Amino acid sequence: APSYPEYTREEVGRHRSPEERVWVTHGTDVFDVTDFVELHPGGPDKILLAAGGALEPFWALYAVHGEPHVLELLQQYKVGELSPDEAPAAPDAQDPFAGDPPRHPGLRVNSQKPFNAEPPAELLAERFLTPNELFFTRNHLPVPAVEPSSYRLRVDGPGGGTLSLSLAELRSRFPKHEVTATLQCAGNRRSEMSRVRPVKGLPWDIGAISTARWGGARLRDVLLHAGFPEELQGEWHVCFEGLDADPGGAPYGASIPYGRALSPAADVLLAYEMNGTELPRDHGFPVRVVVPGVVGARSVKWLRRVAVSPDESPSHWQQNDNKGFSPCVDWDTVDYRTAPAIQELPVQSAVTQPRPGAAVPPGELTVKGYAWSGGGREVVRVDVSLDGGRTWKVARLMGDKAPPGRAWAWALWELTVPVEAGTELEIVCKAVDSSYNVQPDSVAPIWNLMGMLSTAWHRVRVSVQD
Ligand code: HEM
Ligand SMILES: Nc1nc2c(c(=O)[nH]1)N[C@H]1C(S)=C(S)[C@@H](COP(=O)(O)O)O[C@H]1N2
Ligand SMILES: [Mo]
């Protein structure tokens, strides 16, 4: 058998364009597929999305690659093997992010340290569940390194006592509950808002949203076990703290109302599984909160502590972030206390395919996208226009039917329409949820200084080739 040179993932990751060669991995094998890029039946652009990294998360989106002839074809391009597990990065006093996990180079990175990235928009709606490796990542701080055997979740009980749960206890003492839920960051689509006027925050495109099947203990079961009642009189909040802390020692934190935490219909989880595997480090290993229907910021990762309080979490991210303001509020006048913290998100949708500026072939065009609403409100319709909103068609909705009021996951949609050679199209989509909430038609009236809640009709201009 031929023996192959060994490469690290980082070396493979440097080969991402035909000029630098295009390398990919499958299992532990390394392939130089530069010469195949132009021959790919699915098109060169698609292969380049996976360039420098693993094929598996991308192939999970397109079942054709499961056929044996595809692996056979790939085999002829083999140039090496991955070095047996690379030593984990040594802690580095100079760089608090040195211990962050490896990531797929195909993600669209908005900031490297802390790591913030979204899946390529054109793949976002290809499959109902987002592969873990492509799920958007929103980190404020370095990723904590947690030794699972010494992990403890602290739950402050009602009488001043505390409950301390190991990962094994969380798994064994409480029934495992599974929920398919979409997480969306309040900053999703912020870059469209900053085109109207600059805003503060990461320049997310349409990909700060993803969907997974989460498995874990119900938060409700853990709180009842700790001695809390089904209901509390007055205003109470369940506060979460992460193991990630800023240089001053303040942990990432957020809270949700007590009623949501205790409601069996709200499906709030202390999740230890994501799409059937343990949580990846970027998504909160070993335990995170998942609050379906609520802004992603409340789904605290690397959960270390749960406490019940008459006040919302004192965290910066609860108090001074993830809030909406009027377009008239600027950095000189903003008073965070005047705005409630975002919890349930408004209805949202976006076109994932085609992408802005694309030149599409004449004939039939398939437009694809996602739609989702907060609070478990189901998406009941998506309207699509090809002429900037003058005329509309109704898209076909795909997705699992959820119980009433518990539509936690997005709907994917598509519409196939004839398009004429040489024309310009302005594709627009807008969704309607089960409360008949609709999206605003333009960005300017909902502009806000932090670029939150950017839910205007999504517009994509493309041209049809001659
Ligand atoms: C070197 C890596 C790859 C190889 C060897 C490969 C190979 C192939 C082959 C042989 C087909 C035709 C399958 C058939 O019709 O029997 C195909 C189709 C396709 N591939 Fe790939 N592929 C690669 C990477 C990718 C990646 C990374 C993506 C997505 C990001 C992708 C997306 C597609 C799509 C969309 C099709 C067309 C599927 C259809 O017509 O239904 N491929 N690929
Ligand atoms: N501990 C901790 N939890 C966190 C964050 C964080 O930085 N630290 N980011 C929050 C934000 S703003 C979002 S949108 C979601 C993103 O989850 P994901 O990275 O798994 O997509 O996690 C939330 N939970
Ligand atoms: Mo977020």
Side-chain angles (χ1 to χ4, degrees), residues 49-343:
L49 292 174
L55 286 169
E56 286 90 337
F58 295 86
W59 280 6
L61 304 172
Y62 301 102
V64 283
H65 300 96
E67 301 293 325
H69 72 273
V70 178
L71 268 187
E72 249 164 63
L73 185 156
L74 185 62
Q75 216 49 41
Q76 73 192 78
Y77 299 104
K78 180 164 172 178
V79 292
E81 289 175 356
L82 283 172
S83 325
D85 270 358
E86 293 154 46
D92 178 349
Q94 300 305 308
D95 181 6
F97 296 94
D100 270 19
R103 283 110 183 184
H104 201 292
L107 291 168
R108 300 290 142 90
V109 177
N110 291 319
S111 103
Q112 198 58 247
K113 297 175 182 186
F115 190 71
N116 287 284
E118 56 192 297
E122 56 271 52
L123 299 184
L124 204 55
E126 289 299 281
R127 220 181 68 158
F128 192 62
L129 299 181
T130 317
N132 289 356
E133 297 85 345
L134 298 179
F135 201 98
F136 86 98
T137 298
R138 198 318 172 212
N139 293 343
H140 291 81
L141 295 158
V143 175
V146 183
E147 176 49 56
S149 59
S150 49
Y151 170 81
R152 293 291 180 281
L153 172 63
R154 168 179 163 180
V155 182
D156 294 0
T162 62
L163 180 66
S164 169
L165 294 168
S166 69
L167 186 55
E169 286 164 340
L170 191 67
R171 285 173 174 278
S172 63
R173 283 206 197 157
F174 306 94
K176 181 167 131 189
H177 189 66
E178 287 189 84
V179 178
T180 303
T182 296
L183 289 188
Q184 182 182 212
C185 183
N188 191 29
R189 300 182 59 200
R190 177 180 286 128
S191 54
E192 290 161 66
M193 212 166 250
S194 50
R195 268 174 240 142
V196 169
R197 244 195 299 163
V199 297
K200 211 175 95 175
L202 296 161
W204 296 106
D205 187 15
I206 62 172
I209 182 167
S210 300
T211 300
R213 180 128 182 107
W214 308 96
R218 283 183 194 260
L219 173 61
R220 166 192 159 81
D221 292 345
V222 173
L223 289 173
L224 291 175
H225 178 80
F228 286 100
E230 292 272 355
E231 271 179 65
L232 281 173
Q233 293 307 309
E235 190 184 327
W236 292 88
H237 303 269
V238 178
C239 302
F240 310 116
E241 282 178 13
L243 285 157
D244 48 341
D246 69 19
Y252 182 89
S255 59
I256 60 170
Y258 189 81
R260 179 176 293 277
L262 267 288
S263 163
D267 288 320
V268 182
L269 292 186
L270 303 183
Y272 42 74
E273 279 179 14
M274 180 176 182
N275 291 327
T277 66
E278 65 181 22
L279 284 181
R281 286 190 62 206
D282 265 329
H283 301 291
F285 179 81
V287 178
R288 80 174 300 168
V289 184
V290 172
V291 191
V294 160
V295 66
R298 313 298 167 221
S299 289
V300 173
K301 304 191 276 190
W302 315 290
L303 185 65
R304 75 168 189 196
R305 180 171 171 225
V306 177
V308 174
S309 159
D311 301 309
E312 289 183 81
S313 164
S315 161
H316 164 84
W317 292 280
Q318 186 79 20
Q319 300 291 333
N320 301 341
D321 197 355
N322 291 289
K323 292 188 169 187
F325 292 95
S326 165
C328 69
V329 172
D330 60 30
W331 291 105
D332 297 326
T333 57
V334 65
D335 178 356
Y336 293 106
R337 290 162 306 179
T338 61
I342 300 167
Q343 295 281 346

